[in-house]
Amino acid sequence: MATEQTPITRPPSSSVGDSSNRQRRRYYRGGFSTSICDIFNNPNSRTDCCAVACCGVLSSDRNRYLLTGKRPPALWVRVLIWFIIPSLFIAAMSYFAVDIPMPSSSGEEDGDDGQEGGTQQTTKAAPPGIFWSFVIYMAVVRITIYHMLLYVTCIYFCMPHSSMFYYLIQVISYGFMRNQGTRKVIMQRLYEERASDRGEEVDPQQMASFLLRHNLDIKRAHTCWSCFYTHDYQFIDESGMVNNNDMDEDGEDNEGDFCSKIWGCLSNTFFCCGCWCQCFGCCGIAQEEREVNRLTGHDGIPKIDYITFQPYEEYYPAIVDLRENQNKSLWAHMRTISELSSKLLKNVLAVLIFIILFALSDVDSNFTWKNLIILFLTLGQAFFIEYLVHWRYNRFNLSFDSVVKYFGCGFLLTTPMAVVFERVISTVASAIVLIVGVIILASDSELADEMQTDQKKAMKDLAVNHPGLFIFMNFINAFAVAALCEEFVKYFGYRMVQTPCFSNNQTLKSTGSAITVAMVSVSLGFACCENLIYIFVYSPPGIAIQASTLLARSFFPVHPLCAAIQSIGVCKRDLEGDKRYGLGWISLPAIMLHGSFDFVLMIAAYYYQVENIKEGNDDDGGNVTTPDTDDDVDIVSQLPAMVCGLIFVVIGYSWYVIQESSRLYCFVLCYYVFNTKIR
């Protein structure tokens, strides 16, 4: 295993800078071989997904390690410095906040009258001592002056709900500013490579001049929320090589898949001013990882894990021995896991021990040993399905180590991605629904007047008299916000994980089963985290309500079923070589099943709420748009919706079985006729 101080060197220049590559490569800003705008343009690239997940922190750590051999700080150090200590500061400023008078907007005389009348308005402000201590702390941990000035006002006027949010944004900003150093090292390596390709010696002064000319580009590549990085498709650098490269690695036209076209359509909307829209620097990180992989020889088969950077050769041979010897011992499989999987399991065990002690200590009356049982049942539901899918039938097709990584990715990475993306999509959907609602109010003067006098009653009338608006809203929420977003992030979660299991010489059938297990494992991790959120966050406290929520969400395993359906398309693309199956065709059946299932339940809940309004049994009028929070839903009245949902699940499972049977027949035919194996 490489030491911390020994950088991983790149392969000889003949492997990356031969004449054929020089003729095909097109250089962009700073000498990069791909544009900063090329994120999601290559359907087979894992780097783009990794640059988006976890704000690109894991991807940038890997880039820095491959270039310099330096490992990132330990997780507990990062949590302590960037989260725990700042949280204590913000909590102290909120708790010890003092009242200060607000200046009057109508002049000094009005302010005097207000003081005499006892109506002087005040606001909360942080104590100066704690405030300046936090400013000094941010300076010590090297938060830049720009970020401190941007954050000072929010901290000083002590907004408890927004202070932590703005602080997290500043932490992300600082993290991307640190990536400027990594980008500068990459550009130095690229300059050396280009000089070697031309047969020239590297002049330090010319290199310094080159970096100085691109200093602004280095800074703009990791800007968090701006769009002033100039679009670089038309850029011509010093090399004079401007030949387009629209070919993939096989020399065929690369038209891109569904995700590429959506991204291109979205990104083209920002080109009216000739600029590229930055999104927390993910474009720059993806570009850097593509370049680092090429420079260090990791652009083919992966060789090390993320986070721990452990080489595959240290643990994968033992996994291969278990497969060859058909060892069925769980303990033997657990002893061969990687450092990354070991850390994941140890952290899970530590968290569970803490939760058990917390529940038994009766510190919080809302979380007792009864709630602890609900928690373990929620985890047990996911683990039981994982046992059936992987350990019982496919333990030798995909290693236990890989299953831990895929499940952890679904639980820890895809869930935050889904929350962020759903928030963005729901904001756009809410704006669309709001426009339609304004049009309805403009055509109904009585409803508009009622909205100004009694908004609660007006919302009830709107729900009863205009069902089309709420049906349209539920349709968007079901198919766009929930189904489209969640199915995409689950696919991205599968693409993000790097494991050596798929690099071994397996049969088509074994590899296809491994793909299905991997995608189902990601979905189970995602579904497990989502169930915990619905049970312990969205549901009100109460054992009966939490148990019914768990039962309802466990009875319909839509997420793993949709992941299995997606695996059919992935196998057709990656194993059968059917290039028609891009992200769109892979995800479409799963999106239709997931969206239809959610839409039926939402519509049923909506009509149930409308009936309550008509009968006068509605207690929270106007909240017809959030049926998931209805606590008094009658099981009998919801039975038709549950039956419809079950029908959709049966249809989806039947479709999967039919497609899987045809795929297995094709694999068996290829194996016995052509003796085909994955290479």
Side-chain angles (χ1 to χ4, degrees):
M1 183 175 180
T3 62
E4 297 185 7
Q5 302 298 328
T6 305
I8 299 178
T9 57
R10 67 181 177 89
S13 59
S14 60
S15 62
V16 294
D18 56 8
S19 59
S20 60
N21 285 336
R22 289 201 304 269
Q23 294 298 325
R24 293 185 57 188
R25 188 182 306 148
R26 177 183 179 184
Y27 294 116
Y28 296 90
R29 288 184 176 271
F32 288 93
S33 60
T34 59
S35 170
I36 195 174
C37 317
D38 282 344
I39 186 171
F40 295 133
N41 280 351
N42 184 2
N44 297 320
S45 175
R46 298 177 183 266
T47 60
D48 298 341
C49 302
C50 299
V52 175
C54 200
C55 300
V57 174
L58 303 179
S59 180
S60 61
D61 288 344
R62 180 178 179 273
N63 293 342
R64 194 175 296 109
Y65 175 77
L66 291 178
L67 284 174
T68 64
K70 295 181 179 179
R71 293 179 176 272
L75 178 61
W76 71 268
V77 175
R78 286 180 166 179
V79 172
L80 177 66
I81 293 177
W82 298 106
F83 294 99
I84 296 180
I85 295 179
S87 298
L88 294 176
F89 270 113
I90 293 175
M93 286 187 291
S94 300
Y95 184 78
F96 297 104
V98 295
D99 293 329
I100 60 173
M102 293 184 63
S104 176
S105 60
S106 58
E108 297 181 357
E109 296 181 358
D110 295 340
D112 295 338
D113 296 339
Q115 290 178 357
E116 293 176 359
T119 58
Q120 177 68 34
Q121 295 183 351
T122 61
T123 185
K124 295 287 187 179
I130 303 178
F131 167 73
W132 288 110
S133 298
F134 190 36
V135 172
I136 294 173
Y137 173 79
M138 292 202 307
V140 170
V141 297
R142 294 182 295 178
I143 292 286
T144 62
I145 299 297
Y146 167 77
H147 294 111
M148 284 195 295
L149 292 177
L150 196 63
Y151 188 57
V152 155
T153 304
C154 177
I155 297 179
Y156 183 72
F157 290 103
C158 203
M159 294 173 283
H161 297 290
S162 59
S163 294
M164 181 59 72
F165 173 74
Y166 286 122
Y167 174 75
L168 293 178
I169 291 180
Q170 299 310 318
V171 170
I172 296 171
S173 306
Y174 171 67
F176 285 123
M177 291 193 67
R178 283 191 62 202
N179 289 329
Q180 295 177 8
T182 304
R183 193 173 187 87
K184 185 176 295 186
V185 174
I186 295 174
M187 293 177 66
Q188 291 175 353
R189 297 280 293 271
L190 292 172
Y191 186 88
E192 295 173 356
E193 181 192 53
R194 291 167 55 195
S196 176
D197 290 345
R198 298 172 183 171
E200 303 174 354
E201 295 184 359
V202 178
D203 188 348
Q205 294 184 353
Q206 292 182 358
M207 179 186 294
S209 176
F210 170 78
L211 295 176
L212 182 62
R213 289 197 305 271
H214 293 282
N215 185 49
L216 188 59
D217 296 329
I218 294 175
K219 294 181 179 179
R220 288 177 174 177
H222 292 286
T223 305
C224 292
W225 46 69
S226 71
C227 60
F228 54 79
Y229 186 95
T230 306
H231 189 279
D232 58 358
Y233 274 128
Q234 304 299 327
F235 179 76
I236 302 176
D237 67 359
E238 295 84 351
S239 66
M241 296 184 182
V242 295
N243 51 311
N244 286 312
N245 184 10
D246 296 328
M247 303 290 183
D248 58 15
E249 295 180 356
D250 299 328
E252 299 180 1
D253 291 339
N254 186 6
E255 299 179 355
D257 64 352
F258 181 68
C259 185
S260 305
K261 294 177 181 178
I262 287 183
W263 177 256
C265 179
L266 178 63
S267 59
N268 285 332
T269 60
F270 299 102
F271 293 163
C272 57
C273 56
C275 297
W276 176 255
C277 180
Q278 296 294 326
C279 183
F280 289 96
C282 63
C283 300
I285 290 181
Q287 183 189 38
E288 291 166 7
E289 186 165 2
R290 291 192 297 267
E291 211 65 51
V292 168
N293 288 338
R294 189 183 63 83
L295 290 171
T296 58
H298 287 75
D299 53 344
I301 299 176
K303 302 175 183 178
I304 61 174
D305 280 330
Y306 267 79
I307 303 178
T308 59
F309 312 125
Q310 182 184 14
Y312 292 162
E313 60 187 14
E314 290 188 359
Y315 65 91
Y316 187 59
I319 296 177
V320 176
D321 291 339
L322 291 177
R323 179 183 299 166
E324 293 177 351
N325 297 327
Q326 295 292 298
N327 192 329
K328 299 181 180 181
S329 172
L330 177 62
W331 176 247
H333 283 261
M334 294 184 65
R335 291 178 59 185
T336 60
I337 61 176
S338 61
E339 293 180 8
L340 176 57
S341 297
S342 177
K343 288 185 177 181
L344 288 173
L345 294 177
K346 290 178 181 178
N347 288 329
V348 169
L349 181 61
V351 171
L352 290 178
I353 292 175
F354 173 79
I355 293 176
I356 292 173
L357 296 177
F358 181 81
L360 298 179
S361 62
D362 291 333
V363 176
D364 188 356
S365 60
N366 292 325
F367 192 85
T368 62
W369 64 270
K370 296 180 180 179
N371 304 95
L372 184 64
I373 294 177
I374 299 296
L375 172 65
F376 278 103
L377 289 176
T378 305
L379 298 176
Q381 183 258 354
F383 295 158
F384 177 71
I385 298 178
E386 190 71 74
Y387 164 78
L388 294 178
V389 173
H390 171 250
W391 187 255
R392 186 173 179 85
Y393 299 107
N394 296 289
R395 72 183 72 178
F396 298 116
N397 294 325
L398 188 67
S399 66
F400 178 80
D401 171 76
S402 299
V403 169
V404 173
K405 294 175 182 176
Y406 281 110
F407 189 94
C409 178
F411 192 97
L412 299 174
L413 296 183
T414 60
T415 305
M417 289 174 59
V419 171
V420 174
F421 293 156
E422 285 181 350
R423 181 63 61 89
V424 174
I425 297 176
S426 63
T427 301
V428 178
S430 299
I432 297 175
V433 174
L434 181 61
I435 294 174
V436 178
V438 170
I439 296 175
I440 293 176
L441 292 177
S443 60
D444 192 341
S445 59
E446 295 182 359
L447 183 61
D449 295 337
E450 188 179 23
M451 185 68 70
Q452 297 178 357
T453 58
D454 190 351
Q455 186 176 4
K456 188 175 182 179
K457 186 176 183 301
M459 288 298 298
K460 292 182 180 181
D461 294 339
L462 184 65
V464 173
N465 300 324
H466 298 277
L469 174 64
F470 291 89
I471 293 176
F472 173 70
M473 180 193 64
N474 287 326
F475 179 84
I476 295 179
N477 287 334
F479 285 92
V481 178
L484 180 69
C485 177
E486 293 178 2
E487 296 307 320
F488 274 10
V489 297
K490 287 190 295 183
Y491 173 83
F492 290 160
Y494 160 74
R495 295 295 299 171
M496 282 189 292
V497 178
Q498 291 186 350
T499 175
C501 289
F502 292 106
S503 61
N504 195 29
N505 193 23
Q506 304 179 52
T507 62
L508 288 172
K509 180 181 178 181
S510 177
T511 305
S513 300
I515 291 174
T516 301
V517 174
M519 301 192 73
V520 170
S521 299
V522 173
S523 69
L524 285 174
F526 175 84
C528 182
C529 185
E530 186 184 53
N531 290 342
L532 292 175
I533 294 174
Y534 270 92
I535 293 171
F536 295 103
V537 178
Y538 292 162
S539 298
I543 299 300
I545 297 177
Q546 293 178 352
S548 60
T549 303
L550 172 62
L551 181 62
R553 298 189 65 84
S554 302
F555 189 69
F556 301 107
V558 177
H559 283 299
L561 178 58
C562 290
I565 291 175
Q566 285 195 62
S567 68
I568 299 295
V570 174
C571 292
K572 289 184 177 180
R573 181 194 63 188
D574 296 343
L575 303 183
E576 299 179 13
D578 193 344
K579 295 186 177 181
R580 297 175 301 171
Y581 279 85
L583 179 58
W585 284 114
I586 290 174
S587 303
L588 181 61
I591 292 173
M592 295 302 297
L593 173 62
H594 192 169
S596 301
F597 177 82
D598 288 350
F599 182 66
V600 168
L601 297 182
M602 290 180 181
I603 290 298
Y606 163 72
Y607 278 108
Y608 175 80
Q609 189 74 8
V610 169
E611 290 298 324
N612 285 338
I613 293 175
K614 292 180 179 180
E615 296 175 1
N617 298 326
D618 180 65
D619 294 330
D620 60 343
N623 194 26
V624 296
T625 63
T626 56
D628 292 335
T629 61
D630 191 359
D631 307 328
D632 302 321
V633 174
D634 188 1
I635 300 299
V636 177
S637 62
Q638 293 298 314
L639 187 59
M642 298 178 65
V643 172
C644 291
L646 181 61
I647 292 175
F648 279 113
V649 172
V650 172
I651 292 174
Y653 181 76
S654 302
W655 187 89
Y656 167 76
V657 170
I658 295 173
Q659 294 294 321
E660 178 71 6
S661 300
S662 62
R663 182 175 66 88
L664 291 178
Y665 175 78
C666 178
F667 287 169
V668 171
L669 182 64
C670 292
Y671 178 77
Y672 285 105
V673 176
F674 303 103
N675 197 22
T676 304
K677 292 186 177 182
I678 290 293
R679 302 191 181 276

